[in-house]
Amino acid sequence: MKTRLRGFDYVNMVVLVLVSVICIYPLWNILAVSLSDGIYAAASKVYLIPKGLNVETYKYVLHNPRLGVSQGLWNSFAYTVVGTLVAVILTFLTAYPLSKKRLVGRKTIMLIFVFTFVFEAGIIPNFIVYKSLGLVNSFWVMIIPNAINTFLLIIMRSFLDALPEELEESAYIDGANDLQTMWKIYFPLARPAIATVCVFYSVAIWNQYLVPAIYLQKQSLKPITVVLYNLIVSGSKDGTSLESIKVHGVQLLPQNLQAAAIFLSVAPILIVYPFAQKYFTKGMLIGSVKG
Amino acid sequence: MHTALKGKSPGARSNVWHKMWRSRLLYLILLPGLIHMLLFKLLPLFGLVIAFEDYNVIKGGINSIIDSKWVGFAHFEKFLGDAYFWKLLKNTLLLAFFNLLFVFPIPIIFALLVNEVRFRKVQRFVQTVTFFPYFISSAVAVSILYTFLSPQGGLVNMALQGLGVEPIFFMAEPGWFRPLYIMLNVWQLFGYSSIIYLAAMTNIDPHLYEAAELDGATRFGKMFHITLPSIAGTIVIMFILAIGQIMTVDLDKILMMYNPSIYDTADVIQSYVYRQAFATKGFPNYSYGAAVGLMQSVVAFILVISANRASKKFSDSQIF
């Protein structure tokens, strides 16, 4: 394609690069502030490059149990790993039978899933049920209740549905039962869908805020999102914000400490982002075609 | 299993029970998922009956749902007569409307611009970077917002000071809540939402562009007469989906952003329900909260169903 509007291309690219900068700058600035000496951060002199570069803030934030950051990070990590594992297994186990056309009642069951997806009971009835099940202040409230997401169930089922039926038949001829067929034939073949669903669940669990805010009052159970809220938002709401301290000749101000806490809670996502982006795109496209 | 094979032959007994017995292992595999649905999706729906009774908070638990006194539509009547309910409804609808107004079209415009970029590398870079905020939790997004807007040393207020403007405490101003909430939503979602449009654009036949060029079409001409009409179907589907979800607010975001000084604009039905149950200092009113929540769910449900109907009518596609 030849172009006549050369000017448009430049303007367009400048606009898009600006938009990209808006997307990434807040986080970049947070990183720069967290690595700066508090003297500069207080005067808002840090824009792009850290001034008075040091990692004392991170050492302080991670080694101070009172702030709860390292505990929160560890909790989030545990919730994410265990929660993803449970959710992926449960989703696969549910999707597999529902992908078989010979299963009597599969349409009805699927319909109920979709119905409960569209019509949710809401916070209060959920609370009563979770409470009766002993999930308040329990590790498992982060793992069990949201272990099946209808959208991801549909993605998984569509994927299994698309695999040829002949696979199953040949397995039966070899004398395998449904369990063996699922485990030895379909499970390995479903790897792309499993990876997609894995990424979706883990990002969702890591970012979860409402459930832990409601159900986890014990400090030792709080994930990083709730810890972050307490450090930044409620601190500034009731005026009892973090205090400033001097460590190894570096001034640490609330701004630095908050910035470090924010960056630490995003860091794991930054690490998995390249994979996450790929699988999210895939999942969205599967979901949109066959939803 | 030989029994499963027999099922494939047309002569086999077509008794339903027999069929189910043959796939008994499949049902066994399905069982955990069914139990999960029963406990976490259906049981709470049953729990909605508390909206029609005076639920006993002290006793709590599922048993007291059965014991509680039946009051019929009393709670519904109460909030329909409550001036605050209408304020909540107004706030919810305004937030939903502004959200749709900005969150829906921006990804389309963005996708059109990205599609015009000639360099693959720039295209990829822009997509990768703008997708990123989607992965950030609302907790982090709101935290960043607080630090940027802080009246003491926040970047935005420092810049305003440089221009000679007095510092503004954005998070405590009712007038700033809606713009900030929507800006944050746009920031988090536009890169993610644009993917579906960009995918639709890659399916456009390049011959169309060549033909248009022969007819002397300009860049904008091609954008308006080829690209846009080609993704019209996708736009319609996404719009219907958005209508279906119009009443859904990002409760995490609202709960973290708001405080009593901005309830005037920030309090929506869902945040009110949350407060009724968990944040009230005195006696939490579960039944009233559940009734308000049920009302919202019913409205949302009707919207989803009508949106799905509409999509069946206007395009061949439906969501479920």
Side-chain angles (χ1 to χ4, degrees), chain B residues 43-59:
Chain B
L43 203 57
L45 283 181
F46 162 75
L48 273 173
V49 298
I50 70 163
F52 303 95
E53 24 181 68
D54 262 331
Y55 178 70
N56 191 333
V57 190
I58 308 293
K59 275 203 228 158

PDB file of all heavy atoms in Angstrom, chain B residues 43-59:
ATOM      1  N   LEU B  43     -26.846 -22.339  46.142  1.00  0.00           N
ATOM      2  CA  LEU B  43     -27.212 -22.104  47.545  1.00  0.00           C
ATOM      3  C   LEU B  43     -27.340 -20.608  47.858  1.00  0.00           C
ATOM      4  O   LEU B  43     -28.313 -20.194  48.507  1.00  0.00           O
ATOM      5  CB  LEU B  43     -26.194 -22.786  48.467  1.00  0.00           C
ATOM      6  CG  LEU B  43     -26.674 -23.114  49.875  1.00  0.00           C
ATOM      7  CD1 LEU B  43     -27.903 -23.992  49.842  1.00  0.00           C
ATOM      8  CD2 LEU B  43     -25.568 -23.790  50.679  1.00  0.00           C
ATOM      9  N   PRO B  44     -26.402 -19.755  47.395  1.00  0.00           N
ATOM     10  CA  PRO B  44     -26.579 -18.318  47.630  1.00  0.00           C
ATOM     11  C   PRO B  44     -27.870 -17.786  46.990  1.00  0.00           C
ATOM     12  O   PRO B  44     -28.512 -16.907  47.560  1.00  0.00           O
ATOM     13  CB  PRO B  44     -25.358 -17.684  46.972  1.00  0.00           C
ATOM     14  CG  PRO B  44     -24.330 -18.749  46.981  1.00  0.00           C
ATOM     15  CD  PRO B  44     -25.080 -20.030  46.799  1.00  0.00           C
ATOM     16  N   LEU B  45     -28.263 -18.348  45.842  1.00  0.00           N
ATOM     17  CA  LEU B  45     -29.518 -17.905  45.219  1.00  0.00           C
ATOM     18  C   LEU B  45     -30.694 -18.219  46.137  1.00  0.00           C
ATOM     19  O   LEU B  45     -31.602 -17.413  46.310  1.00  0.00           O
ATOM     20  CB  LEU B  45     -29.726 -18.591  43.859  1.00  0.00           C
ATOM     21  CG  LEU B  45     -28.898 -18.047  42.699  1.00  0.00           C
ATOM     22  CD1 LEU B  45     -29.225 -18.810  41.424  1.00  0.00           C
ATOM     23  CD2 LEU B  45     -29.148 -16.562  42.495  1.00  0.00           C
ATOM     24  N   PHE B  46     -30.643 -19.408  46.752  1.00  0.00           N
ATOM     25  CA  PHE B  46     -31.659 -19.772  47.729  1.00  0.00           C
ATOM     26  C   PHE B  46     -31.601 -18.796  48.906  1.00  0.00           C
ATOM     27  O   PHE B  46     -32.637 -18.391  49.450  1.00  0.00           O
ATOM     28  CB  PHE B  46     -31.424 -21.217  48.189  1.00  0.00           C
ATOM     29  CG  PHE B  46     -32.131 -21.566  49.478  1.00  0.00           C
ATOM     30  CD1 PHE B  46     -33.500 -21.777  49.496  1.00  0.00           C
ATOM     31  CD2 PHE B  46     -31.412 -21.694  50.657  1.00  0.00           C
ATOM     32  CE1 PHE B  46     -34.138 -22.087  50.678  1.00  0.00           C
ATOM     33  CE2 PHE B  46     -32.055 -21.999  51.842  1.00  0.00           C
ATOM     34  CZ  PHE B  46     -33.422 -22.201  51.856  1.00  0.00           C
ATOM     35  N   GLY B  47     -30.383 -18.380  49.260  1.00  0.00           N
ATOM     36  CA  GLY B  47     -30.199 -17.450  50.363  1.00  0.00           C
ATOM     37  C   GLY B  47     -30.864 -16.107  50.127  1.00  0.00           C
ATOM     38  O   GLY B  47     -31.081 -15.334  51.054  1.00  0.00           O
ATOM     39  N   LEU B  48     -31.187 -15.826  48.854  1.00  0.00           N
ATOM     40  CA  LEU B  48     -31.844 -14.551  48.544  1.00  0.00           C
ATOM     41  C   LEU B  48     -33.200 -14.402  49.214  1.00  0.00           C
ATOM     42  O   LEU B  48     -33.731 -13.292  49.276  1.00  0.00           O
ATOM     43  CB  LEU B  48     -31.998 -14.402  47.029  1.00  0.00           C
ATOM     44  CG  LEU B  48     -30.799 -13.794  46.303  1.00  0.00           C
ATOM     45  CD1 LEU B  48     -31.002 -13.846  44.802  1.00  0.00           C
ATOM     46  CD2 LEU B  48     -30.574 -12.365  46.750  1.00  0.00           C
ATOM     47  N   VAL B  49     -33.787 -15.508  49.716  1.00  0.00           N
ATOM     48  CA  VAL B  49     -35.086 -15.382  50.377  1.00  0.00           C
ATOM     49  C   VAL B  49     -35.004 -14.448  51.587  1.00  0.00           C
ATOM     50  O   VAL B  49     -36.008 -13.885  51.991  1.00  0.00           O
ATOM     51  CB  VAL B  49     -35.697 -16.740  50.824  1.00  0.00           C
ATOM     52  CG1 VAL B  49     -35.951 -17.631  49.644  1.00  0.00           C
ATOM     53  CG2 VAL B  49     -34.826 -17.417  51.858  1.00  0.00           C
ATOM     54  N   ILE B  50     -33.806 -14.247  52.122  1.00  0.00           N
ATOM     55  CA  ILE B  50     -33.718 -13.339  53.267  1.00  0.00           C
ATOM     56  C   ILE B  50     -34.148 -11.930  52.903  1.00  0.00           C
ATOM     57  O   ILE B  50     -34.468 -11.134  53.775  1.00  0.00           O
ATOM     58  CB  ILE B  50     -32.308 -13.299  53.915  1.00  0.00           C
ATOM     59  CG1 ILE B  50     -31.302 -12.617  52.985  1.00  0.00           C
ATOM     60  CG2 ILE B  50     -31.840 -14.669  54.356  1.00  0.00           C
ATOM     61  CD1 ILE B  50     -30.050 -12.192  53.739  1.00  0.00           C
ATOM     62  N   ALA B  51     -34.162 -11.619  51.607  1.00  0.00           N
ATOM     63  CA  ALA B  51     -34.645 -10.298  51.181  1.00  0.00           C
ATOM     64  C   ALA B  51     -36.125 -10.144  51.511  1.00  0.00           C
ATOM     65  O   ALA B  51     -36.640  -9.036  51.579  1.00  0.00           O
ATOM     66  CB  ALA B  51     -34.418 -10.102  49.689  1.00  0.00           C
ATOM     67  N   PHE B  52     -36.821 -11.273  51.724  1.00  0.00           N
ATOM     68  CA  PHE B  52     -38.265 -11.241  51.996  1.00  0.00           C
ATOM     69  C   PHE B  52     -38.574 -11.515  53.462  1.00  0.00           C
ATOM     70  O   PHE B  52     -39.698 -11.722  53.831  1.00  0.00           O
ATOM     71  CB  PHE B  52     -38.994 -12.264  51.113  1.00  0.00           C
ATOM     72  CG  PHE B  52     -38.749 -12.048  49.656  1.00  0.00           C
ATOM     73  CD1 PHE B  52     -37.753 -12.746  48.987  1.00  0.00           C
ATOM     74  CD2 PHE B  52     -39.506 -11.125  48.948  1.00  0.00           C
ATOM     75  CE1 PHE B  52     -37.517 -12.530  47.641  1.00  0.00           C
ATOM     76  CE2 PHE B  52     -39.283 -10.911  47.604  1.00  0.00           C
ATOM     77  CZ  PHE B  52     -38.281 -11.610  46.949  1.00  0.00           C
ATOM     78  N   GLU B  53     -37.526 -11.617  54.283  1.00  0.00           N
ATOM     79  CA  GLU B  53     -37.781 -11.850  55.704  1.00  0.00           C
ATOM     80  C   GLU B  53     -36.949 -10.908  56.568  1.00  0.00           C
ATOM     81  O   GLU B  53     -36.193 -10.090  56.057  1.00  0.00           O
ATOM     82  CB  GLU B  53     -37.501 -13.308  56.086  1.00  0.00           C
ATOM     83  CG  GLU B  53     -36.544 -14.068  55.200  1.00  0.00           C
ATOM     84  CD  GLU B  53     -36.330 -15.498  55.631  1.00  0.00           C
ATOM     85  OE1 GLU B  53     -37.255 -16.338  55.553  1.00  0.00           O
ATOM     86  OE2 GLU B  53     -35.205 -15.767  56.064  1.00  0.00           O
ATOM     87  N   ASP B  54     -37.130 -11.024  57.876  1.00  0.00           N
ATOM     88  CA  ASP B  54     -36.280 -10.292  58.798  1.00  0.00           C
ATOM     89  C   ASP B  54     -35.218 -11.251  59.296  1.00  0.00           C
ATOM     90  O   ASP B  54     -35.398 -11.938  60.295  1.00  0.00           O
ATOM     91  CB  ASP B  54     -37.110  -9.745  59.970  1.00  0.00           C
ATOM     92  CG  ASP B  54     -37.476  -8.293  59.739  1.00  0.00           C
ATOM     93  OD1 ASP B  54     -36.697  -7.608  59.045  1.00  0.00           O
ATOM     94  OD2 ASP B  54     -38.532  -7.870  60.222  1.00  0.00           O
ATOM     95  N   TYR B  55     -34.126 -11.266  58.590  1.00  0.00           N
ATOM     96  CA  TYR B  55     -33.094 -12.248  58.873  1.00  0.00           C
ATOM     97  C   TYR B  55     -32.423 -11.963  60.220  1.00  0.00           C
ATOM     98  O   TYR B  55     -32.047 -10.834  60.507  1.00  0.00           O
ATOM     99  CB  TYR B  55     -32.061 -12.231  57.758  1.00  0.00           C
ATOM    100  CG  TYR B  55     -30.911 -13.171  57.949  1.00  0.00           C
ATOM    101  CD1 TYR B  55     -31.098 -14.550  57.853  1.00  0.00           C
ATOM    102  CD2 TYR B  55     -29.633 -12.690  58.219  1.00  0.00           C
ATOM    103  CE1 TYR B  55     -30.035 -15.411  58.015  1.00  0.00           C
ATOM    104  CE2 TYR B  55     -28.570 -13.552  58.380  1.00  0.00           C
ATOM    105  CZ  TYR B  55     -28.781 -14.910  58.273  1.00  0.00           C
ATOM    106  OH  TYR B  55     -27.722 -15.759  58.434  1.00  0.00           O
ATOM    107  N   ASN B  56     -32.299 -13.014  61.001  1.00  0.00           N
ATOM    108  CA  ASN B  56     -31.715 -12.880  62.327  1.00  0.00           C
ATOM    109  C   ASN B  56     -30.192 -12.934  62.243  1.00  0.00           C
ATOM    110  O   ASN B  56     -29.597 -13.983  62.019  1.00  0.00           O
ATOM    111  CB  ASN B  56     -32.233 -14.011  63.211  1.00  0.00           C
ATOM    112  CG  ASN B  56     -31.878 -13.784  64.656  1.00  0.00           C
ATOM    113  OD1 ASN B  56     -30.889 -13.116  64.965  1.00  0.00           O
ATOM    114  ND2 ASN B  56     -32.690 -14.322  65.542  1.00  0.00           N
ATOM    115  N   VAL B  57     -29.568 -11.789  62.408  1.00  0.00           N
ATOM    116  CA  VAL B  57     -28.115 -11.711  62.243  1.00  0.00           C
ATOM    117  C   VAL B  57     -27.381 -12.437  63.356  1.00  0.00           C
ATOM    118  O   VAL B  57     -26.346 -13.057  63.134  1.00  0.00           O
ATOM    119  CB  VAL B  57     -27.654 -10.239  62.214  1.00  0.00           C
ATOM    120  CG1 VAL B  57     -26.206 -10.152  61.795  1.00  0.00           C
ATOM    121  CG2 VAL B  57     -28.509  -9.445  61.280  1.00  0.00           C
ATOM    122  N   ILE B  58     -27.921 -12.323  64.559  1.00  0.00           N
ATOM    123  CA  ILE B  58     -27.217 -12.884  65.702  1.00  0.00           C
ATOM    124  C   ILE B  58     -27.013 -14.386  65.545  1.00  0.00           C
ATOM    125  O   ILE B  58     -25.910 -14.903  65.687  1.00  0.00           O
ATOM    126  CB  ILE B  58     -28.005 -12.628  67.021  1.00  0.00           C
ATOM    127  CG1 ILE B  58     -28.340 -11.147  67.153  1.00  0.00           C
ATOM    128  CG2 ILE B  58     -27.226 -13.128  68.224  1.00  0.00           C
ATOM    129  CD1 ILE B  58     -27.170 -10.229  67.353  1.00  0.00           C
ATOM    130  N   LYS B  59     -28.102 -15.073  65.207  1.00  0.00           N
ATOM    131  CA  LYS B  59     -27.990 -16.523  65.036  1.00  0.00           C
ATOM    132  C   LYS B  59     -27.121 -16.832  63.827  1.00  0.00           C
ATOM    133  O   LYS B  59     -26.287 -17.715  63.857  1.00  0.00           O
ATOM    134  CB  LYS B  59     -29.379 -17.134  64.843  1.00  0.00           C
ATOM    135  CG  LYS B  59     -30.098 -17.425  66.156  1.00  0.00           C
ATOM    136  CD  LYS B  59     -31.151 -18.494  65.913  1.00  0.00           C
ATOM    137  CE  LYS B  59     -32.481 -18.108  66.511  1.00  0.00           C
ATOM    138  NZ  LYS B  59     -33.584 -18.813  65.879  1.00  0.00           N
TER     139      LYS B  59
END
